Amino acid sequence: MERIENQLDSRQYGGLRGRSTTHALVDAFYHWHSAVDSGQSVRTVFIDYAKAFDHVDHNILVAKLLAFGLPDVIIRWICASLSDRRQRVKIGNVLSDWQLVSAGMAQGSYLGPLTFIILIDSLKSACLTHKFIDDTTLSEMLDRRSTSMMQQFVDELIEWSRQHAMSVNGRKTKEMLIGPICKKPPPPLTLDGAVIDRVKTFKLLGVHVSDDLKWSHHIDAICSKAASRLHFLKLLARSSASLEDLVCFYTSVVRPILEYACPVWHSSLTVAQADALESIQKRAMRLMCQLDYKTTCIIVGIDDLNSRREHLALSFFNHNVLNTESCLHYLLPDKRDPEIINRLRKPKQYQSTHSRTVKFSKSFIPHCLNNYH
């Protein structure tokens, strides 16, 4: 990692230290919001690779390792771990014959995602491309009179995939239009002759994206999922589980669903959406203790969800955006003139982000610049 991390694609967010799905989503949504705010449209394609880890060609991988300039001893060590692997299938007490594995990566090893990142590193389209291991998202920003080149970008990606013995799953690959382009949509995209489905919502890295960049579909989905898990909390309560165990179950099984990647969407929630999330925790508190909501929260030591999301968003901004070594630091605007800052009592280091729409001003980066620093 010390030898290759500075050579890797800056928009590869998977399997690397200091990067996560939240980083990838913050980056993608910032560009989408910014484009729509400036009157542009966004045409985005969500690429799905079929059995990506199983289709890693070992010869191509070794060529990639050599291109990164790794020492021969490391390359030989990796080759040794990949060569002469065998596998077989067991059903009941019946075992198949051993078969030699000539491609693919061993599941569950750290080398799996790392070597795949090296393999897919050269996948770089002429349009904005975000990657999380094998999850690849192409985004094209279009002015009102621009002609979309997305079909060309998709064709180039398909050709790259063929050269690297990888297969794009056309059934799971989707296209989404965001902004004014929705009124006069361009012709659909094709993948190997088949039309790519155009959708209004898509689950990207665990977050439901809508073509209007609103969060109603995502909030409905996570509320439904969290509510279904409250059933097990109810069963525990009926089984006379201790309050400590009930709190542990809620904070480890239910609440993470309601907070996943919350820096991306917290600042854009409506009051009704925030209340819908809070109602899930209120139901959980009633199952734990037959007291009012605030009293129960104090007893079990749990903050309300809105306060927690605010804290999580602030913490993410401080550690993963303001930090000059962060991969998201480049999203910040230019710093203000030091002469102006020195004359102000409570100066802001960065220039305010100008926005034409409320939607952009409430998105993560502009919201944090206006409220957290």
Side-chain angles (χ1 to χ4, degrees):
M1 283 305 301
E2 293 175 353
R3 292 176 178 271
I4 70 171
E5 60 185 353
N6 292 329
Q7 303 179 55
L8 293 172
D9 187 351
S10 61
R11 289 201 171 91
Q12 170 61 265
Y13 290 96
L16 298 172
R17 184 180 302 170
R19 295 171 179 240
S20 66
T21 54
T22 303
H23 288 78
L25 290 165
V26 166
D27 192 301
F29 271 95
Y30 177 82
H31 287 91
W32 297 344
H33 276 117
S34 180
V36 174
D37 186 73
S38 61
Q40 293 180 309
S41 298
V42 181
R43 190 176 195 183
T44 184
V45 179
F46 308 105
I47 304 294
D48 182 85
Y49 280 105
K51 298 183 178 179
F53 280 66
D54 295 335
H55 288 175
V56 174
D57 186 290
H58 293 171
N59 294 324
I60 296 175
L61 176 60
V62 171
K64 295 286 184 180
L65 295 171
L66 289 169
F68 271 90
L70 287 170
D72 290 343
V73 63
I74 294 180
I75 295 176
R76 289 198 302 269
W77 177 66
I78 293 177
C79 289
S81 72
L82 296 176
S83 61
D84 297 326
R85 284 189 175 273
R86 298 185 302 161
Q87 65 182 23
R88 63 180 179 178
V89 178
K90 179 180 180 181
I91 301 178
N93 295 323
V94 181
L95 291 170
S96 70
D97 295 332
W98 285 105
Q99 296 292 328
L100 190 66
V101 180
S102 59
M105 301 303 301
Q107 300 294 314
S109 69
Y110 181 75
L111 274 181
L114 175 59
T115 49
F116 188 86
I117 288 170
I118 294 173
L119 176 69
I120 204 172
D121 185 71
S122 61
L123 173 58
K124 296 175 182 177
S125 178
C127 65
L128 181 65
T129 306
H130 293 89
K131 291 181 284 188
F132 191 90
I133 312 292
D134 62 317
D135 286 312
T136 303
T137 303
L138 306 181
S139 300
E140 181 186 25
M141 314 305 174
L142 295 167
D143 296 323
R144 292 184 181 276
R145 297 181 181 179
S146 298
T147 301
S148 175
M149 301 291 291
M150 184 57 80
Q151 183 64 61
Q152 178 181 332
F153 301 146
V154 171
D155 292 342
E156 291 173 354
L157 182 141
I158 296 300
E159 181 60 28
W160 181 94
S161 301
R162 287 198 184 102
Q163 293 174 3
H164 290 77
M166 296 176 62
S167 176
V168 176
N169 188 337
R171 186 173 58 84
K172 292 185 177 181
T173 296
K174 306 295 181 183
E175 176 197 9
M176 181 181 290
L177 303 177
I178 302 172
I181 196 174
C182 296
K183 297 179 181 178
K184 294 183 179 180
L189 300 170
T190 59
L191 195 158
D192 288 335
V195 175
I196 297 177
D197 291 339
R198 185 173 289 168
V199 297
K200 290 186 173 295
T201 62
F202 183 81
K203 190 175 183 181
L204 176 64
L205 301 178
V207 169
H208 296 267
V209 182
S210 299
D211 61 354
D212 57 4
L213 296 181
K214 294 182 179 180
W215 297 104
S216 55
H217 184 75
H218 178 67
I219 299 304
D220 290 344
I222 62 176
C223 283
S224 176
K225 185 176 181 180
S228 66
R229 295 194 179 182
L230 289 181
H231 170 70
F232 300 101
L233 184 66
K234 183 185 295 184
L235 294 180
L236 288 173
R238 290 177 176 175
S239 301
S240 301
S242 67
L243 181 60
E244 182 181 357
D245 288 341
L246 295 177
V247 172
C248 180
F249 179 86
Y250 171 74
T251 55
S252 59
V253 178
V254 181
R255 191 173 65 181
I257 298 172
L258 304 173
E259 295 179 339
Y260 172 72
C262 65
V264 181
W265 45 266
H266 163 65
S267 56
S268 299
L269 294 183
T270 64
V271 174
Q273 290 166 350
D275 289 344
L277 292 171
E278 205 70 46
S279 67
I280 300 296
Q281 181 160 287
K282 289 180 179 179
R283 289 171 58 187
M285 294 300 105
R286 285 198 297 270
L287 292 173
M288 296 182 200
C289 190
Q290 300 298 319
L291 298 172
D292 64 274
Y293 178 53
K294 289 185 178 180
T295 303
T296 304
C297 286
I298 294 173
I299 292 174
V300 300
I302 289 179
D303 293 329
D304 63 274
L305 291 178
N306 188 69
S307 298
R308 280 186 54 82
R309 290 196 306 271
E310 194 77 13
H311 172 74
L312 292 171
L314 173 59
S315 177
F316 186 88
F317 181 69
N318 288 334
H319 292 94
N320 299 286
V321 181
L322 289 182
N323 183 357
T324 56
E325 297 181 357
S326 171
C327 58
L328 297 179
H329 185 73
Y330 83 100
L331 296 177
L332 294 175
D334 295 333
K335 285 191 174 184
R336 302 175 68 187
D337 188 341
E339 294 184 1
I340 296 177
I341 292 177
N342 293 335
R343 293 199 297 265
L344 299 176
R345 182 176 299 175
K346 295 182 179 181
K348 293 184 177 181
Q349 293 184 350
Y350 295 92
Q351 298 177 7
S352 298
T353 302
H354 298 288
S355 57
R356 296 170 56 248
T357 60
V358 175
K359 193 175 295 182
F360 181 53
S361 66
K362 287 186 175 182
S363 62
F364 177 66
I365 297 294
H367 173 78
C368 291
L369 287 172
N370 293 329
N371 295 277
Y372 293 157
H373 101 287

